[in-house]
Amino acid sequence: MDPKKKTVGFVPDHDADTTTSPGGSNNTSTVNSPVSAFSNTPDLNNTTNNNSTTSTPNSAGSAPASSQPRSINTSGARSSYEPMKSSYEEQWGLTPTRTQKTASPRDGSGFPAKEQGAGSHKKENKVKTSGLGIQANAGSASTDGPQSSTSSAGPASAGGPPSSGKGGSQKPSAPSQKSMTKAERRELQEKQKAEKAARVSAGLPASGKKAAQVLNQPNSGFSPNPSKSLATSFPGAEAEKAIAAAESTGQTRRREKLTKEIGLFAHLDPPKFANTALAPKDLHPAVVHAGLQMAQFKICGANARCVATLNAFRKAIQDYQTPPNTTLSRHIQTYLNPHISYLVTCRPMAVSMGNAIRYLKYEIGKNLELPDEDARALFVEKIDNFIRDRITMADQVITSLGLQKIQDGDVILTYARSSVVQGLLLAAHAKGIKFKVIVVDSRPRFEGKQLLRALAAAGVPCTYVLLTAIGHVMREVNKVILGAHSLLSNGALYSRAGTAVVAMSAHERKIPVIVCCETYKFSERVQLDSFVQNEIGNPDELVNDQNNNFGHSSTRCHPSVRGANSGDAASAAAGAGVLTGWRESRDLKLLNLLYDLTPSEFVTVVITEVGLIPCTSVPVILREFLPMMQQ
């Protein structure tokens, strides 16, 4: 045998073509394996024995014996059968999705793929695979076989995987989510969210493709945030940390300066301000006007807000024009939904408003087959009946029942202003009952002054104090009458902030606490404290309260305290308030909660249109009486 030619392997029934490389280097024996008729794919029954091994001549010039015939191209190129087998695996989805074990050419057992490096030192080649391809670790030599999807620089074989075009290396394919575990998919989603947030924070589009287009166009006129360069300089999590660090001194501080959120109440909606520019154009003017008045607190109180909402909806229904190919009964609810959303954007919806709107939708759903004019008249009538029966007549019944609890010589304490309580006290005075009223009020809205004005005009003896003096005046009181924003299912009283303090003080002194509340204000909601659900008012009302306090704001300082002359106009203008620039203070935050929660044990009795009940009977009223009232 020619010493320059060494037969490395032999396959029965097939010829082995041996080629001699110049210089007497190791030669290659390529096996011509039989090929099936489908896409030039090899016969897999014979490919098991067609694996290749490297043969290195020993010092004696003879090749070491091999237990199985095998061929290899020492230049690092693929054997002739390997591109076709790779094409077969890709065609039929046989590409492994995890680290696979190859069949041993010795005994057929599975073992990790090995490669033989320089100096005959064997090094394990850990193969990283994905659902779309296989990628070897950097620094490992190319191996022949179906487990290697990357090759050395050079022309790609026909049917093999495509190369990236730069040096003949293949770009690693992205892993398929189908081959990932649930934890890996979640990690990928979190990473994508972080990258998206980093792009948005940097002033780039949220889409990665659009952000790349913006960055590739330097003359596009795009003005990035100062942290944009950080996003392009650091990959992944480092970019997010860099952007967060940059924004902590800029945008974040500006946002905190505007919102001044308090962490304990961060889950509540911030104060809302009416913005007609963002409202839909087809809103009825009556609804827009009602929303603006509610946002400015010109319409305040559960009953007043509910009546204003229903009156606005009545005008909207009367002026509504039915679109073609539909009926009023089926389209009116779609028409009213934007109006309801607008009212919510002006101010959070009251419980009374929500119950009234649900009642109106209930009546609309019951009458879907009526003609347009009949449906219009019916809905307007239902709105008028709700206002008459559930609000006006209910208040009159509550007043008649409350008169039984007021006697001559009583000293009645009330807090803030309730339209039902005001009507009860005026009716008792008109009946000739001699009693005295103590009106307790608090900042920032000072609603008790409106009640004080009405009682004083009627000739009722009154005393006006702030909430801070509740402990002093409670010694003279023998009854406490309060209003309610809502009564919750667990018996808790949801009312104006400060009501809980008044009820607790009366309960400590064994003074009965009477609550006047209509049944349409009952709610199925359960609440244990004022932190779960509440409404945050404008914090500037705690500072700029001169309009509510008749020009005598408690936040102002006397000129003598500031050391200024009384005739100095500039000093008088500068004395607008000691907290005028509170938003500029880094460590100062103001909180203006509008409501609080009074536990049921502080309430003695509740006067409703269905009688005098304990506050714990709210679920019974909701279950038994309300369905009958809706019929």
Side-chain angles (χ1 to χ4, degrees), residues 447-466:
E447 296 175 281
K449 292 183 178 181
Q450 301 180 20
L451 175 62
L452 180 66
R453 185 184 298 110
L455 295 178
V460 180
C462 300
T463 302
Y464 180 81
V465 297
L466 293 180

Side-chain angles (χ1 to χ4, degrees), residues 7 71 146 164 181 237 264 280 307-308 322 348 366 391 423 456 468-469 472 525-526 530 533 551:
T7 301
S71 64
S164 61
T181 63
L264 186 61
V307 171
T322 307
K366 288 197 312 180
I391 301 177
T468 53
H472 175 73
R525 188 177 65 196
V526 175
S530 304
Q533 183 67 32

Side-chain angles (χ1 to χ4, degrees), residues 461-585:
C462 300
T463 302
Y464 180 81
V465 297
L466 293 180
L467 186 61
T468 53
I470 186 67
H472 175 73
V473 299
M474 192 61 72
R475 294 177 293 183
E476 307 175 9
V477 177
N478 55 8
K479 287 185 181 67
V480 175
I481 302 179
L482 302 174
H485 179 85
S486 175
L487 270 178
L488 306 185
S489 184
N490 60 339
L493 172 64
Y494 188 72
S495 187
R496 182 67 63 194
T499 305
V501 177
V502 175
M504 182 184 63
S505 300
H507 178 73
E508 291 295 328
R509 296 180 178 271
K510 309 300 181 182
I511 300 174
V513 177
I514 303 172
V515 176
C516 299
C517 181
E518 302 88 344
T519 55
Y520 87 103
K521 294 181 182 179
F522 288 4
S523 174
E524 296 179 352
R525 188 177 65 196
V526 175
Q527 191 169 331
L528 301 179
D529 52 43
S530 304
F531 303 94
V532 178
Q533 183 67 32
N534 210 318
E535 181 180 351
I536 298 180
N538 186 5
D540 288 328
E541 295 179 352
L542 300 177
V543 178
N544 304 321
D545 60 349
Q546 59 271 15
N547 294 331
N548 297 325
N549 204 20
F550 298 99
H552 301 284
S553 175
S554 59
T555 60
R556 299 191 179 195
C557 295
H558 195 271
S560 60
V561 178
R562 300 190 306 268
N565 297 326
S566 58
D568 193 348
S571 299
V578 295
L579 298 179
T580 302
W582 69 275
R583 292 188 181 273
E584 304 296 334
S585 178

Side-chain angles (χ1 to χ4, degrees), residues 185 200 250 284 290 327 380 394 429 445 508:
R185 289 195 299 270
V200 174
H284 195 275
T327 61
V380 171
H429 177 72
R445 306 219 58 86
E508 291 295 328

